[in-house]
Amino acid sequence: MDLTSPKVIRSIQEKFGFTFKKGLGQNFLTSQTVLEDIAGAAEIETGVIEIGPGFGVLTSQLAARSQKVLAIEIDERLIDVLNYTLSEFDNIKIINADILKLDLKSLIQKEFNGGQISIAANLPYYITTPIITKLLEEKLPVRNIVVMVQKEVAERMSAMPGTKDYGAITVLCRYYTEPSVITNVKASLFVPPPKVDSAVLKLRVLDKPSVEVLNEKLFFKVVRAAFSQRRKTLLNCLCSAFPIPKPEMSALLEKNDIHPARRGETLSPEEFAVIADAIANN
Ligand code: SAM
């Protein structure tokens, strides 16, 4: 069954009386090349988790390259469809659940015996950031995360310090992973087409975080504070978030060679770490 064919997609819709739910980010991919890009970049060793299989177009590519695919789909209506479209595979397990509500660590332990897995998805765009944040913060045994996201989001997640796209989400991604954009994808390659163009983002999870910090929670609090008001100086942003008097905070920054009048977007992850450690030791 060629699930990239709009004609086949229409015939499945008719067979199951299925209509797309915009609120669930249901834009199905129809490009064989892009599917192969995603599945290839995931560098699957044995197992892979797919978030949001839809009609199963990516699932079948992943199944052909792995021992086991665990596909997590929130839309109950799609479970019968997936059992039909993926019936020729015996290495796919479908779970009807909300990815944001799952205990992924226990699930991976149970389904993959604690082995290193990959994660691949054409993500529902309305929850891209919460999903990526969850996948990174839960410190899962995951080697590669390859996801289709809105083009601007991919640019933000993989931005370099000092650029206009650099923000708190960049620091999160660069702390845990090495991010790279694999390819850009036109909206016309989806059914129905979304309003924005997309990109395939690869996050190669690092063995250990890219910078060492005394307190991870505090590090991310500093990062969020620094980007909270882009027009304010670093000093003012930090003083709004931490109960440290301004002269003391200013001295703390200067002592660490960071000018208090700088803006958050000019700081590297290493500099955020220096500030967080100085606050921790204050
Ligand atoms: N994988 C298919 C493809 O590439 O054509 C469908 C991708 S579509 C962009 C996103 C999929 O995620 C939809 O099937 C949608 O129902 C599902 N989804 C949306 N929210 C979800 C959630 N919270 N948990 C799991 N799946 C979700």
Side-chain angles (χ1 to χ4, degrees):
M1 203 178 313
D2 178 9
L3 294 168
T4 60
S5 152
K7 217 168 130 194
V8 171
I9 294 175
R10 247 190 327 274
S11 78
I12 296 171
Q13 278 191 273
E14 274 160 26
K15 184 175 168 72
F16 289 89
F18 182 87
T19 47
F20 295 107
K21 266 197 193 155
K22 219 171 145 191
L24 287 178
Q26 292 179 338
N27 304 97
F28 294 178
L29 187 56
T30 61
S31 162
Q32 181 61 28
T33 315
V34 178
L35 287 164
E36 282 169 21
D37 285 344
I38 298 174
E43 293 181 61
I44 305 163
E45 279 168 25
T46 48
V48 58
I49 288 184
E50 186 192 3
I51 302 161
F55 278 3
V57 71
L58 176 60
T59 327
S60 56
Q61 302 282 330
L62 298 172
R65 293 171 190 246
S66 63
Q67 280 173 23
K68 180 170 179 177
V69 185
L70 188 64
I72 298 159
E73 174 56 62
I74 197 172
D75 190 345
E76 203 183 353
R77 303 171 305 156
L78 285 168
I79 306 306
D80 284 347
V81 180
L82 287 164
N83 284 327
Y84 167 73
T85 57
L86 301 173
S87 59
E88 66 180 278
F89 295 94
D90 60 6
N91 60 340
I92 299 174
K93 180 165 175 181
I94 299 157
I95 297 182
N96 181 206
D98 179 346
I99 184 72
L100 293 177
K101 295 198 178 136
L102 282 179
D103 175 353
L104 284 175
K105 204 168 235 174
S106 311
L107 189 65
I108 294 171
Q109 176 65 34
K110 185 172 141 231
E111 298 291 342
F112 299 99
N113 298 317
Q116 281 266 352
I117 62 156
S118 296
I119 294 181
N122 170 14
L123 284 181
Y125 294 172
Y126 73 108
I127 44 170
T128 300
T129 303
I131 292 177
I132 299 284
T133 306
K134 177 181 168 83
L135 297 180
L136 297 181
E137 286 185 346
E138 291 190 2
K139 302 184 194 322
L140 307 167
V142 170
R143 170 64 63 214
N144 290 297
I145 301 171
V146 182
V147 283
M148 176 90 73
V149 296
Q150 202 177 314
K151 189 164 170 271
E152 286 69 25
V153 175
E155 284 163 0
R156 252 183 272 144
M157 290 183 169
S158 59
M160 296 303 285
T163 61
K164 72 170 178 24
D165 292 325
Y166 186 62
I169 191 73
T170 322
V171 180
L172 178 80
C173 289
R174 289 204 172 274
Y175 180 77
Y176 288 113
T177 77
E178 185 190 314
S180 57
V181 173
I182 301 290
T183 185
N184 291 328
V185 184
K186 287 254 160 272
S188 57
L189 291 173
F190 297 82
V191 170
K195 287 208 173 70
V196 290
D197 284 337
S198 301
V200 176
L201 176 78
K202 177 170 181 170
L203 300 170
R204 193 181 62 78
V205 181
L206 302 170
D207 291 331
K208 60 180 181 49
S210 60
V211 290
E212 239 178 87
V213 289
L214 292 172
N215 180 334
E216 219 165 70
K217 248 178 133 170
L218 184 66
F219 170 73
F220 284 112
K221 190 174 171 191
V222 168
V223 173
R224 276 194 307 274
F227 287 107
S228 60
Q229 287 146 301
R230 286 213 172 219
R231 292 217 299 235
K232 279 197 180 177
T233 63
L234 176 64
L235 177 64
N236 284 335
C237 289
L238 291 175
C239 285
S240 312
F242 295 94
I244 299 177
K246 218 175 210 178
E248 219 176 290
M249 184 68 92
S250 185
L252 178 150
L253 291 172
E254 277 174 6
K255 203 173 136 202
N256 287 288
D257 294 327
I258 295 170
H259 198 289
R262 281 175 67 182
R263 313 277 149 164
E265 61 267 29
T266 69
L267 293 159
S268 66
E270 289 75 14
E271 288 175 309
F272 282 118
V274 165
I275 298 171
D277 286 357
I279 292 177
N281 285 324
N282 191 48

Coordinates of all heavy atoms in Angstrom, one line a residue, residues 21 23-30 35 50-59 72-75 78 97-100 121-127 131 190, ligand 1:
K21 N -8.3 16.1 11.8 CA -8.5 17.0 12.9 C -7.4 18.0 12.9 O -6.2 17.7 13.3 CB -8.6 16.3 14.2 CG -10.0 15.9 14.6 CD -10.0 15.5 16.0 CE -11.4 14.8 16.3 NZ -11.3 13.9 17.4
G23 N -6.9 20.4 15.0 CA -6.5 20.6 16.4 C -5.5 19.6 16.8 O -4.8 19.8 17.8
L24 N -5.3 18.4 16.1 CA -4.3 17.4 16.5 C -3.1 17.5 15.6 O -2.3 16.6 15.6 CB -5.0 16.0 16.4 CG -6.0 15.7 17.6 CD1 -6.5 14.3 17.4 CD2 -5.3 15.8 18.9
G25 N -3.1 18.5 14.8 CA -1.9 18.7 13.9 C -1.8 17.6 12.8 O -0.7 17.2 12.5
Q26 N -2.9 17.2 12.3 CA -2.9 16.1 11.3 C -2.6 16.5 9.9 O -3.5 16.8 9.1 CB -4.2 15.3 11.4 CG -4.3 14.6 12.8 CD -5.6 13.8 13.0 OE1 -6.6 14.1 12.4 NE2 -5.6 12.9 13.9
N27 N -1.3 16.6 9.6 CA -0.9 16.9 8.2 C 0.0 15.7 7.8 O 1.1 15.6 8.4 CB -0.1 18.2 8.2 CG -0.9 19.4 8.7 OD1 -0.8 19.7 9.9 ND2 -1.8 19.9 7.9
F28 N -0.5 14.9 6.9 CA 0.3 13.7 6.6 C 1.3 13.9 5.5 O 1.0 14.5 4.4 CB -0.8 12.6 6.2 CG -1.6 12.2 7.4 CD1 -2.6 11.2 7.3 CD2 -1.5 12.7 8.7 CE1 -3.4 10.8 8.3 CE2 -2.3 12.4 9.8 CZ -3.2 11.4 9.6
L29 N 2.4 13.3 5.6 CA 3.5 13.5 4.7 C 3.4 12.6 3.5 O 3.0 11.4 3.6 CB 4.9 13.2 5.5 CG 6.2 13.4 4.8 CD1 6.3 14.9 4.3 CD2 7.3 13.1 5.7
T30 N 3.7 13.2 2.3 CA 3.5 12.4 1.1 C 4.8 12.3 0.3 O 4.8 11.9 -0.9 CB 2.4 13.0 0.2 OG1 2.9 14.3 -0.2 CG2 1.1 13.1 0.8
L35 N 10.6 10.9 3.8 CA 10.5 9.8 4.8 C 11.8 9.0 4.9 O 12.2 8.7 6.0 CB 9.4 8.8 4.2 CG 8.0 9.4 4.3 CD1 7.0 8.5 3.4 CD2 7.5 9.3 5.8
E50 N 7.9 6.0 17.5 CA 7.4 7.1 16.6 C 6.2 7.8 17.4 O 5.4 7.2 18.0 CB 6.8 6.5 15.3 CG 6.4 7.6 14.4 CD 5.6 7.3 13.2 OE1 5.2 6.1 13.0 OE2 5.2 8.2 12.4
I51 N 6.3 9.1 17.3 CA 5.2 9.9 17.9 C 4.2 10.3 16.8 O 4.6 10.9 15.8 CB 5.8 11.2 18.6 CG1 6.8 10.8 19.7 CG2 4.7 12.0 19.2 CD1 7.7 11.9 20.1
G52 N 3.0 9.9 17.0 CA 1.9 10.3 16.0 C 2.0 9.7 14.7 O 2.4 10.3 13.7
P53 N 1.8 8.4 14.6 CA 1.9 7.7 13.3 C 0.9 8.0 12.2 O 1.2 7.8 11.0 CB 1.8 6.2 13.7 CG 1.0 6.2 15.0 CD 1.4 7.5 15.7
G54 N -0.2 8.6 12.6 CA -1.2 9.0 11.5 C -1.7 7.8 10.8 O -2.3 6.9 11.4
F55 N -1.5 7.7 9.5 CA -2.0 6.5 8.7 C -0.8 5.5 8.6 O -1.0 4.5 8.0 CB -2.4 6.9 7.3 CG -3.8 7.5 7.1 CD1 -4.6 7.7 8.3 CD2 -4.3 7.8 5.9 CE1 -5.9 8.2 8.1 CE2 -5.6 8.3 5.7 CZ -6.4 8.5 6.9
G56 N 0.4 5.8 9.2 CA 1.4 4.8 9.3 C 2.5 5.0 8.2 O 3.3 4.1 8.0
V57 N 2.5 6.1 7.5 CA 3.4 6.3 6.3 C 4.9 6.2 6.8 O 5.7 5.6 6.1 CB 3.1 7.5 5.5 CG1 3.5 8.8 6.3 CG2 3.7 7.5 4.2
L58 N 5.2 6.8 7.9 CA 6.6 6.8 8.4 C 6.8 5.5 9.2 O 7.9 4.9 9.1 CB 6.9 8.0 9.3 CG 8.2 8.1 10.0 CD1 9.4 8.1 9.0 CD2 8.3 9.4 10.9
T59 N 5.8 5.0 9.8 CA 5.9 3.8 10.6 C 6.4 2.6 9.8 O 7.3 1.9 10.3 CB 4.5 3.4 11.2 OG1 3.8 4.6 11.5 CG2 4.6 2.6 12.5
I72 N 3.1 5.8 19.0 CA 2.2 6.3 20.0 C 1.2 7.3 19.4 O 1.7 8.4 18.9 CB 3.0 7.0 21.2 CG1 3.8 5.9 21.8 CG2 2.1 7.6 22.2 CD1 5.0 6.4 22.6
E73 N 0.0 7.0 19.3 CA -1.0 7.9 18.6 C -2.1 8.3 19.6 O -2.8 7.4 20.2 CB -1.5 7.1 17.4 CG -2.7 7.8 16.6 CD -2.3 9.2 16.1 OE1 -1.4 9.4 15.3 OE2 -3.0 10.2 16.6
I74 N -2.4 9.5 19.6 CA -3.5 10.0 20.6 C -4.9 9.8 20.0 O -5.8 9.7 20.8 CB -3.3 11.5 20.9 CG1 -4.0 12.0 22.1 CG2 -3.7 12.4 19.7 CD1 -3.7 13.4 22.6
D75 N -5.0 9.8 18.7 CA -6.4 9.8 18.1 C -6.9 8.3 18.0 O -6.4 7.6 17.1 CB -6.3 10.4 16.7 CG -7.6 10.7 16.1 OD1 -8.6 10.1 16.6 OD2 -7.7 11.4 15.1
L78 N -7.6 6.5 14.8 CA -6.6 6.0 13.9 C -6.1 4.6 14.2 O -5.4 4.0 13.4 CB -5.4 7.0 13.9 CG -5.6 8.3 13.2 CD1 -4.5 9.3 13.5 CD2 -5.6 8.0 11.7
A97 N -2.3 6.7 23.1 CA -2.0 7.6 24.3 C -1.5 8.9 23.8 O -1.1 9.1 22.7 CB -1.0 6.9 25.1
D98 N -1.5 9.8 24.8 CA -1.0 11.2 24.6 C 0.5 11.1 25.0 O 0.8 10.8 26.2 CB -1.8 12.1 25.5 CG -1.3 13.6 25.5 OD1 -0.2 13.8 24.9 OD2 -2.0 14.5 26.0
I99 N 1.4 11.4 24.1 CA 2.8 11.3 24.4 C 3.2 12.1 25.6 O 4.1 11.7 26.4 CB 3.6 11.8 23.1 CG1 5.2 11.6 23.3 CG2 3.4 13.2 22.7 CD1 5.6 10.2 23.3
L100 N 2.5 13.3 25.8 CA 2.9 14.1 26.9 C 2.5 13.5 28.3 O 3.0 14.0 29.3 CB 2.2 15.5 26.8 CG 2.8 16.3 25.6 CD1 2.0 17.7 25.5 CD2 4.3 16.6 25.7
A121 N 9.7 11.2 14.2 CA 8.3 11.7 14.2 C 8.1 12.9 13.2 O 9.0 13.6 12.9 CB 7.8 12.2 15.5
N122 N 6.9 12.9 12.6 CA 6.5 14.1 11.9 C 5.6 14.7 13.0 O 4.4 14.3 13.2 CB 5.7 13.7 10.7 CG 5.0 14.8 10.0 OD1 5.2 16.0 10.3 ND2 4.1 14.5 9.1
L123 N 6.1 15.6 13.8 CA 5.4 16.1 15.0 C 4.1 16.9 14.8 O 4.0 17.6 13.8 CB 6.3 16.9 15.9 CG 7.4 16.2 16.6 CD1 8.2 17.2 17.5 CD2 6.9 15.1 17.6
P124 N 3.2 16.7 15.7 CA 2.0 17.6 15.7 C 2.5 19.0 16.1 O 3.0 19.1 17.3 CB 1.0 17.0 16.7 CG 1.9 16.1 17.5 CD 3.1 15.7 16.8
Y125 N 2.4 20.1 15.3 CA 3.1 21.3 15.6 C 2.6 22.1 16.8 O 3.4 22.9 17.3 CB 3.1 22.2 14.3 CG 3.9 21.7 13.1 CD1 3.8 22.2 11.9 CD2 4.7 20.5 13.3 CE1 4.6 21.7 10.8 CE2 5.4 20.0 12.2 CZ 5.3 20.6 11.0 OH 6.1 20.1 10.0
Y126 N 1.4 21.8 17.2 CA 0.8 22.6 18.3 C 1.5 22.3 19.6 O 1.4 23.0 20.6 CB -0.7 22.4 18.4 CG -1.1 21.0 18.9 CD1 -1.7 20.9 20.2 CD2 -1.0 19.9 18.2 CE1 -2.1 19.7 20.7 CE2 -1.4 18.6 18.6 CZ -1.9 18.5 19.9 OH -2.3 17.3 20.4
I127 N 2.3 21.1 19.7 CA 3.0 20.8 20.9 C 4.4 20.4 20.7 O 5.0 19.6 21.5 CB 2.2 19.6 21.7 CG1 1.8 18.5 20.7 CG2 1.1 20.1 22.5 CD1 1.4 17.2 21.4
I131 N 6.9 18.6 23.7 CA 7.4 17.2 23.4 C 8.9 17.2 23.4 O 9.5 16.4 24.1 CB 6.9 16.7 22.0 CG1 5.4 16.5 22.0 CG2 7.6 15.4 21.6 CD1 4.8 16.1 20.7
F190 N 2.5 17.9 2.1 CA 1.6 17.3 3.1 C 0.2 17.3 2.7 O -0.2 18.1 1.9 CB 1.7 18.1 4.4 CG 3.0 18.1 5.1 CD1 4.0 19.0 4.7 CD2 3.3 17.3 6.1 CE1 5.2 19.1 5.3 CE2 4.6 17.3 6.8 CZ 5.5 18.2 6.4
Ligands
SAM1 N1 3.2 10.3 11.0 C1 2.2 10.8 10.1 C2 2.8 11.3 8.9 O1 4.0 11.6 8.9 O2 2.1 11.5 7.9 C3 1.3 11.8 10.8 C4 1.9 13.0 11.3 S1 0.8 14.3 11.8 C5 1.8 15.7 11.6 C6 0.9 14.2 13.6 C7 0.2 13.0 14.3 O3 0.4 13.1 15.7 C8 -1.2 12.8 14.0 O4 -1.5 11.5 13.7 C9 -1.9 13.2 15.4 O5 -3.2 12.5 15.6 C10 -0.8 12.7 16.3 N2 -0.9 13.4 17.7 C11 -1.3 14.7 17.9 N3 -1.1 15.0 19.2 C12 -0.6 13.9 19.8 C13 -0.2 13.5 21.2 N4 -0.3 14.4 22.2 N5 0.3 12.3 21.4 C14 0.5 11.4 20.4 N6 0.1 11.7 19.1 C15 -0.4 12.9 18.8

